[in-house]
Amino acid sequence: MILILDNKITQKQKDNITSVLSHDGCITREIIDAGRTVIGIIANNKKSLEEYRQMEGVKDAQAIKTSYKLVSREFKSEDSMVKIGNVVVGGDRIVVIAGPCAIENPTQAMTIAKEVKKYGAALFRGGAFKPRSSPYSFQGLEEEGLKILADVREETGLGVVTEITSPAQAELMEKYVDAVQIGARNMQNFELLKCVGKMSKPVVLKRGLASTIQEWLMSAEYIMAGGNNDVILCERGIRTFEPYTRNTLDLSAIPVLKQLTHLPIVIDPSHATGIREKVSPMARAAVAAGADALMIEVHNDPDNALSDGPQSLYPEQFGQLTRDLYVIAPVVGKQMDFDYLKKSEVISELAKGAAKTAAFIGENGAYSHKASLSYFGDDVTPVPMESFRDIFNACEKGSVEYGIVPVENSLSGSIHENFDLLQEYDLKIIGEVTIRIKHALIAHGTMDKKAIKKILASPPAFSQCKNFLDQCPGVEAVPVKAYSSAVKHIKDTSDTTTAAIGTAMEADIYNLKVIEDSIEDNPRNYTRFAIIAKEYKGIKKVGKSSIIFSTGNKPGALYAVMKVFSQHGINLVKLESRPILGKPWEYMFYADLEADILSDALSPMMADLKKKTEILRILGRY
Ligand code: PEP
Ligand code: MN
C-alpha cells in the first residue's frame, strides 16, 4: 500500500503518521515520486485504505496489488535512473556495456576496452569469477581479474561491471569495481541477493535461465528490500525448446517490465543467442523495443577466447552496431551519444558540492524539463520558470547554477529570442543536448478516443500535429498559453471529453493515460538546447565553440572571416545572421565551430579573426 502525502502537510501531521505506522509495526519506505512524497507500506500493514485516507496530511492511499512492492510501478511511477560511476542507466541515452566474457590477462582487457570505448561503449564488462557449466573450463582470474578491471577504469575512464558469485567476494567487489552483476544461475540465490542488497554498488540482475518475470522481480525486490535501490534488470535469454540459438531472447519482457516496474532494463543479446551473427540484429531490436541499455560481449581474438568466443563480436562489428543504434534510438525518443563518456565526467563535475539547480521553461514534464534530465540525469534539480528571460536572470543572479534553453528546432529553425538573450547577458554556453520532440494525446484513463470533443495544446504543438488534427473533424482545438501544460489543465477536471497534447512524461506525472503516441506530423523533430552558466566548470576537453561577430559593412567582409576559418582548417557547423538590436539593417552573425577557439593552437586564428571582425564575442565552449 502507498500513502500519498498532501503537499501542504505540516511537520506535526507527518510525525503523527510516522508514529502510527511505527506503532503498528509497519515496514515503510519514503520516496519523492513525480513531485509527491510517497510512503510505501511494504509489510505488516494493519489498516484499511479508508482508515489511512482519514488521517490528516494523507492525500490518498492506494493498494499495491503485486507481491513485489518496492520495484513496482505502483510504488514509484517515474522511471528510475541508476548511476554506474558517472554513467546514468535509465535516462534518454542508450548505455552500451561491452567487453569480453572473461578477463584473461591485462593486455586482452585493455585492448578490448580501448576498442569498445572508441566505438561508443560507456561501461566495460568482464568476468573475474566465472560460473562455468563445466568444472574444467576457465574459472576466471579472481582477484587478479578485478585488479585488471580497476586498471582498465583508471586508464580508459570506463566504469567496470563484473559478476559476483558469492557473498564472500563482496569486499573485493566494493574495492575494485563500479557495479556487480548477479548471473542468471544465481538469480534466486537469496543469500547472494541479500548480500548485494547491502552493498554500496549498483546491481545488474540477470534473469534466471527458466525464471518468470514475476520471480525475477521478486529477486529484485530482495535487493531493494535490503536497502540497495540501484537495481538494473538484465534479460539474457531464457531456456526454451528451440535449439538453433543458445537461449531464446524474450524481447516482449521489455514492454511487460516497463509497465510493471520503474527499474531500467538492459538486454544481453550475446548470451541470449550465443551466435555472433545473431547478436547485432537482436541488439537493434532491443533498442527499438525500448531497452535502456545493452550488454554485449566483444573480443579482439574470439577464436582463442577462454570463454564465449563464438558469441563475441569483433570490435569492428561492435562499431557497426553502435552506428546503427545511433540511427534507431531517436525513433523511440532516445539517443546513442558517442560523446557521453566525456560529457558524463563534465556533468558529474557540474553537480559536485551542494545541491545544484537548473532553470528550464514550462512546467514539469515539458520538453525543456526532459532536456534537463537528459543532460544532467537526476544529479541537478530542474526548476520551472515562466520565461526565457527569467532563466537568464536567475542564472545571472546565481539563484540557480545552470539554465537550459532551446536554441534550435530541426523543423522550425532557430529560437531567436534565446540568441538575443545570449547576446544581452554575460553568460556562457557550457554544454548542449538534443532531444526528440514527440507529442502524445493524453486524457483520463477512462476516456474513449471517440468521445473527444476538445483538444488542449500550446500553439506550437498544434502546428506540429496538424495532420493528426485534420483527421479529427468536429474536435475543437483550444490553445493554452505557450509554456503552460495543457496536460495539467485537464488533470483537475473530471471532464471525459477533453484531451491534451503533451509529453508521455506529463501523462506519468499527472497520472493520466497516453491515448495515442507520436502524433506529430514529422518524426524527425528534434530540439537542441544550450546549457548556460556563469562560468565554465568541469570542462576539460572542448569540442565545440559558439561565437557572435559583426563585420564592417563592405564587400567581401563576411568572406574574409570565412577565409580565416578555412585557412585554419576549422569546420563551421552553423552560421546564422541576426539583426543588431537598435541598428536597422545591420547584422550580427552566430557561428558554431568544431574547435576550442581558446586553445593555444588556435591563438593565431583568433588574432586573425579579431582583425577581420568589429565585434567578436565567445558565447560558449563545450
Ligand atoms: C556473463 O555475463 O558472462 C554470464 C555468465 O552471463 P549469464 O549469467 O547471463 O549466463
Ligand atoms: Mn559470457
Side-chain angles (χ1 to χ4, degrees), residues 340-593:
Y340 181 41
L341 197 59
K342 192 180 92 189
K343 280 187 205 156
S344 71
E345 281 169 31
V346 173
I347 292 158
S348 95
E349 200 61 37
L350 294 178
K352 256 193 195 145
K356 302 281 192 301
T357 47
F360 70 91
I361 195 159
E363 312 218 29
N364 286 337
Y367 292 104
S368 291
H369 186 196
K370 278 170 74 78
S372 174
L373 291 175
S374 176
Y375 188 77
F376 291 112
D378 48 13
D379 283 350
V380 169
T381 309
V383 183
M385 301 256 155
E386 282 181 8
S387 73
F388 292 132
R389 188 172 285 284
D390 287 348
I391 298 177
F392 280 80
N393 276 333
C395 270
E396 192 175 68
K397 282 208 306 280
S399 56
V400 296
E401 283 77 23
Y402 310 110
I404 186 148
V405 291
V407 286
E408 194 173 18
N409 176 267
S410 58
L411 301 179
S412 53
S414 290
I415 291 116
H416 290 124
E417 187 181 346
N418 283 327
F419 280 99
D420 292 344
L421 289 163
L422 281 164
Q423 207 185 129
E424 188 182 327
Y425 285 78
D426 185 21
L427 293 169
K428 298 174 174 68
I429 302 177
I430 58 158
E432 64 174 353
V433 62
T434 298
I435 65 164
R436 181 172 168 209
I437 304 298
K438 200 170 167 219
H439 295 298
L441 187 69
I442 295 163
H444 287 277
T446 48
M447 181 168 187
D448 177 16
K449 195 179 155 197
K450 289 191 214 84
I452 300 177
K453 294 213 170 65
K454 253 193 255 172
I455 295 180
L456 305 189
S458 66
F462 274 134
S463 69
Q464 292 178 1
C465 302
K466 199 171 165 310
N467 296 346
F468 174 84
L469 294 164
D470 286 349
Q471 285 158 21
C472 310
V475 172
E476 188 191 352
V478 184
V480 299
K481 244 180 28 203
Y483 297 106
S484 69
S485 164
V487 181
K488 193 176 171 192
H489 274 83
I490 60 168
K491 166 67 190 161
D492 295 321
T493 72
S494 49
D495 175 4
T496 49
T497 60
T498 303
I501 298 177
T503 65
M505 185 176 165
E506 287 175 290
D508 268 357
I509 291 176
Y510 298 114
N511 214 358
L512 296 167
K513 190 170 161 215
V514 170
I515 295 189
E516 201 163 324
D517 204 1
S518 278
I519 60 165
E520 67 281 359
D521 297 346
N522 191 331
R524 293 191 181 148
N525 190 346
Y526 301 94
T527 297
R528 190 161 68 93
F529 293 80
I531 320 299
I532 54 171
K534 265 195 191 155
E535 296 303 334
Y536 299 111
K537 206 183 118 188
I539 298 168
K540 292 185 200 105
K541 277 182 247 146
V542 171
K544 226 168 143 185
S545 307
S546 293
I547 57 169
I548 38 174
F549 63 89
S550 68
T551 63
N553 192 3
K554 56 181 188 249
L558 181 60
Y559 170 72
V561 176
M562 295 297 107
K563 209 165 139 197
V564 174
F565 295 136
S566 153
Q567 277 166 345
H568 292 270
I570 294 208
N571 190 25
L572 213 65
V573 285
K574 179 183 168 87
L575 179 66
E576 186 160 322
S577 66
R578 189 84 193 116
I580 298 179
L581 298 173
K583 291 191 181 174
W585 318 121
E586 287 189 39
Y587 294 88
M588 299 284 283
F589 296 93
Y590 288 86
D592 287 347
L593 323 168

Side-chain angles (χ1 to χ4, degrees), residues 87-289:
V87 170
V88 179
V89 181
D92 280 350
R93 284 188 183 83
I94 300 292
V95 171
V96 184
I97 310 168
C101 181
I103 299 298
E104 298 169 13
N105 58 61
T107 317
Q108 172 250 16
M110 205 63 82
T111 308
I112 301 171
K114 286 181 180 163
E115 291 280 357
V116 297
K117 180 181 174 182
K118 181 171 86 192
Y119 291 124
L123 297 167
F124 183 68
R125 61 146 288 149
F129 295 90
K130 293 301 304 172
R132 304 300 297 275
S133 303
S134 160
Y136 310 117
S137 300
F138 176 58
Q139 303 284 311
L141 297 181
E142 305 187 346
E143 185 172 359
E144 197 46 42
L146 299 181
K147 284 187 188 157
I148 296 172
L149 282 167
D151 289 345
V152 164
R153 180 192 37 231
E154 190 64 27
E155 184 147 342
T156 62
L158 292 164
V160 294
V161 184
T162 200
E163 180 166 349
I164 179 168
T165 56
S166 153
Q169 297 151 6
E171 219 172 293
L172 286 178
M173 297 285 166
E174 291 282 0
K175 184 166 161 201
Y176 292 113
V177 302
D178 300 293
V180 293
Q181 173 180 319
I182 300 275
R185 290 152 195 84
N186 273 319
M187 190 203 86
Q188 283 189 320
N189 179 339
F190 297 112
E191 290 311 310
L192 190 56
L193 296 175
K194 284 184 207 163
C195 161
V196 298
K198 294 201 180 61
M199 285 180 68
S200 72
K201 305 283 177 183
V203 181
V204 176
L205 175 66
K206 288 206 164 189
R207 181 178 183 179
L209 306 175
S211 299
T212 64
I213 288 175
Q214 163 98 5
E215 288 162 341
W216 187 13
L217 290 173
M218 285 311 297
S219 290
E221 185 79 10
Y222 260 93
I223 303 172
M224 288 193 73
N228 190 343
N229 291 334
D230 291 333
V231 181
I232 300 167
L233 299 167
C234 178
E235 159 65 36
R236 44 77 73 205
I238 46 175
R239 198 160 270 186
T240 68
F241 47 82
E242 177 51 66
Y244 273 109
T245 45
R246 182 175 175 181
N247 293 290
T248 297
L249 179 59
D250 180 10
L251 277 183
S252 60
I254 300 172
V256 171
L257 287 169
K258 285 283 170 201
Q259 191 185 0
L260 298 176
T261 176
H262 51 85
L263 296 176
I265 303 163
V266 51
I267 295 292
D268 169 354
S270 305
H271 293 89
T273 62
I275 306 163
R276 183 173 307 125
E277 284 65 40
K278 312 284 183 274
V279 171
S280 294
M282 287 297 94
R284 296 193 297 259
V287 167

